[in-house]
Amino acid sequence: MSAPERIPPRSVTATDPAAAELLARGELTVRGRIREASNAALYCTVTHEDREAACVYKPVAGERPLWDFPDGTLAGREAAAYEVSRATGWDLVPPTVLRDGPYGEGMCQLWIETAPGAELLALVDGEEPEPGWKAIGFAETGEGRTALLVHADDDRLRRLSVLDAVINNADRKGGHLLPTSDGRLYGIDHGVTFNTENKLRTLLWGWAGEPLPEEALDVLRCLRDALTPAGPLTAALTPLITPAEIDATRARVDSLLASGTHPEPGGDWPPIPWPPV
């Protein structure tokens, strides 16, 4: 009598409701290292029962110390960014959990396959962007040439700019934008977020000072309700960031609702990350 045929595991995608559970409970197997990452980032597979997926595992032990963020907190901030993204309903951050792994506690995030050829950023000649684009600022491109750095006037990017304002993202680079073949857009690398001081640094300044869309205002109102002391988002963030950082997040939501506009660059912190990609 022959053995029953083994059914291959079912692959899980970012839109699958079971993705976070798989990341939290599955067995992690390290397949390689992502060498271009500034902190230790390991490419893994995660398997649980009949499901599997590729993922990124960033152990706390591999985090480089930063002068303006407490040591050993970046993984928790990445998981907190996912919780806020999930609460918006926009799902702009891939499923992310804080869990134990082969090298200790760390962040585990679903791997996202990007679609080639999706233009979201560009360097152009001239002083004004073409229709469909928003100006970021001028950049030196070598040999004394200056070009205008622009990003797409894209609703997905606009939502991400609102999320970044809420989580106080200090490092929104072009390489952290992952468009997919199904038309979705994900943002990654949220380790330097949720600081109590204003550190917003991003390439998505094209809407600075403009009124927030009604959709964004509705989302911010929902976040305000979820961030009350007994709210569900407060409960989800409490194991991941400090009470002072949750209070600061609550204050940023209130400030955005009070102004009704996209934030503008401040003068105390470089507004654009370097390198921009």
Side-chain angles (χ1 to χ4, degrees):
M1 184 175 180
S2 61
E5 183 179 355
R6 180 179 180 273
I7 300 174
R10 175 172 60 88
S11 181
V12 171
T13 65
T15 57
D16 192 321
E21 180 188 12
L22 170 62
L23 292 173
R25 300 180 60 189
E27 180 181 355
L28 280 176
T29 302
V30 176
R31 303 297 184 184
R33 182 167 182 174
I34 303 171
R35 297 192 176 277
E36 60 267 26
S38 56
N39 295 293
L42 305 174
Y43 179 79
C44 302
T45 54
V46 59
T47 306
H48 181 63
E49 295 178 346
D50 64 339
R51 295 166 294 166
E52 71 172 3
C55 61
V56 177
Y57 162 55
K58 297 181 182 179
V60 171
E63 295 179 5
R64 296 191 307 171
L66 299 173
W67 67 270
D68 52 348
F69 285 83
D71 292 350
T73 66
L74 305 191
R77 296 173 194 279
E78 294 234 38
Y82 166 67
E83 293 295 341
V84 175
S85 167
R86 191 162 70 104
T88 66
W90 288 333
D91 294 325
L92 295 166
V93 178
T96 310
V97 301
L98 188 66
R99 59 161 291 170
D100 194 35
Y103 300 102
E105 185 178 61
M107 180 279 282
C108 187
Q109 183 175 82
L110 200 72
W111 180 266
I112 300 296
E113 292 291 345
T114 59
E119 274 198 279
L120 298 172
L121 298 165
L123 282 169
V124 298
D125 294 322
E127 297 187 356
E128 296 292 334
E130 296 291 329
W133 295 88
K134 289 283 190 177
I136 303 167
F138 291 96
E140 296 290 335
T141 60
E143 299 180 356
R145 178 175 174 264
T146 300
L148 182 65
L149 182 61
V150 298
H151 66 68
D153 187 3
D154 186 305
D155 287 342
R156 300 169 302 171
L157 289 180
R158 192 165 192 171
R159 291 168 184 157
L160 194 58
S161 75
V162 175
L163 176 67
D164 283 343
V166 170
I167 67 176
N168 197 16
N169 192 352
D171 195 31
R172 175 60 71 207
K173 296 178 180 177
H176 301 166
L177 305 174
L178 305 182
T180 62
S181 59
D182 61 358
R184 300 184 65 90
L185 176 71
Y186 294 96
I188 61 169
D189 285 346
H190 297 107
V192 286
T193 51
F194 296 101
N195 202 296
T196 56
E197 299 179 10
N198 179 26
K199 291 185 178 291
L200 183 60
R201 190 166 59 167
T202 175
L203 287 177
L204 304 180
W205 287 117
W207 298 280
E210 292 186 15
L212 288 162
E214 191 60 36
E215 175 199 32
L217 293 172
D218 287 342
V219 164
L220 290 168
R221 294 183 191 106
C222 290
L223 289 181
R224 180 177 58 190
D225 292 342
L227 281 167
T228 59
L233 183 52
T234 298
L237 295 178
T238 295
L240 304 172
I241 57 178
T242 68
E245 289 163 345
I246 295 174
D247 288 343
T249 303
R250 195 178 290 125
R252 288 190 295 271
V253 170
D254 288 341
S255 178
L256 287 166
L257 283 168
S259 71
T261 61
H262 286 272
E264 298 184 77
D268 299 330
W269 183 253
I272 296 176
W274 191 263
V277 297

